[in-house]
Amino acid sequence: QVQLVESGGGLVKPGGSLRLSCGASGLNVREYFMSWIRQAPGKGLEWVSYISSSSSYTNYADSVKGRFTISRDNAKNSVYLQMNSLRAEDTAVYYCASGQYDPAVGDYWGQGTLVTVSS
Amino acid sequence: AIRMTQSPSSFSASTGDRVAITCRASQGISSYLAWYQQKPGKAPKLLIYAASTLQSGVPSRFSGSGSGTDFTLTISCLQSEDFATYYCQQYYNYPTFGQGTRLEIK
């Protein structure tokens, strides 16, 4: 049974940093593109970033480009999102997802971790 | 960025009904379209990808159609567990979602 578990969310002040982690079980992340998608409270979904299986290719939403960095450690079966220069508008539940069919189709999703940016 | 517009934004229906949700892309996206279902407090669940391919384990009452700019998600016989919010998403280029369609019980 595939399970993705996010961690690292919490309350941070504007301008601060957080690092989110996504650990996988029942799925070998080295075989898949992996993504982060977020959802602000009561709002729709926004694809934040994705990374290729070899880490050679990454892509980001314009809203986070230059501030967020996606990475992966295939040996730990994990994916990460380093978030710097956080803003109030980054407040959201952050989900990680795997991409078996396409880099940007989320077939398995974690339960999400809440990031709140507030002073 | 490609803009995805869903209609309606919300509607109500009864169990057993056949319902359809439409999604329009601001430019042609071939068949690079996925549909997700989301229930309150839960992560989205993939229903359909490549516009019409049913994800493994998803009931056959769900179906998708369309290509280019216009797409439809059809639920042939609504069950109680189908009342949720549905999102379309294009992956022709950097992925973007529709605003969501909330399906409520009448």
Side-chain angles (χ1 to χ4, degrees), chain B residues 17-58:
Chain B
D17 285 352
R18 178 184 179 91
V19 300
I21 298 168
T22 63
C23 178
R24 174 164 288 177
S26 60
Q27 66 182 73
I29 59 170
S30 185
S31 295
Y32 293 96
L33 186 99
W35 289 97
Y36 300 86
Q37 176 194 67
Q38 187 178 32
K39 297 181 179 179
K42 301 294 187 183
K45 172 187 174 183
L46 177 65
L47 299 176
I48 287 168
Y49 62 97
S52 61
T53 302
L54 202 64
Q55 167 69 335
S56 175
V58 173

Side-chain angles (χ1 to χ4, degrees), chain A residues 72-117:
Chain A
R72 63 194 299 155
D73 186 336
N74 289 339
K76 293 184 177 179
N77 220 29
S78 295
V79 182
Y80 308 98
L81 186 68
Q82 177 67 43
M83 304 186 296
N84 298 332
S85 302
L86 283 161
R87 306 166 180 167
E89 54 265 35
D90 296 318
T91 294
V93 174
Y94 285 73
Y95 298 100
C96 71
S98 61
Q100 175 182 186
Y101 308 115
D102 185 278
V105 174
D107 47 3
Y108 293 108
W109 294 60
Q111 84 289 349
T113 187
L114 176 63
V115 172
T116 303
V117 184

Side-chain angles (χ1 to χ4, degrees), chain A residues 37 39 43-50 59-62 95 100-102 104-111, chain B residues 32 34 36 38 41-46 48-50 55-56 87 89-91 93-99:
Chain A
I37 301 110
Q39 187 169 37
K43 303 296 185 182
L45 298 162
E46 180 184 20
W47 208 286
V48 175
S49 180
Y50 60 85
N59 206 349
Y60 299 90
D62 287 343
Y95 298 100
Q100 175 182 186
Y101 308 115
D102 185 278
V105 174
D107 47 3
Y108 293 108
W109 294 60
Q111 84 289 349
Chain B
Y32 293 96
Y36 300 86
Q38 187 178 32
K42 301 294 187 183
K45 172 187 174 183
L46 177 65
I48 287 168
Y49 62 97
Q55 167 69 335
S56 175
Y87 292 93
Q89 176 232 325
Q90 65 79 22
Y91 51 103
N93 55 22
Y94 194 83
T96 50
F97 291 91
Q99 81 280 14

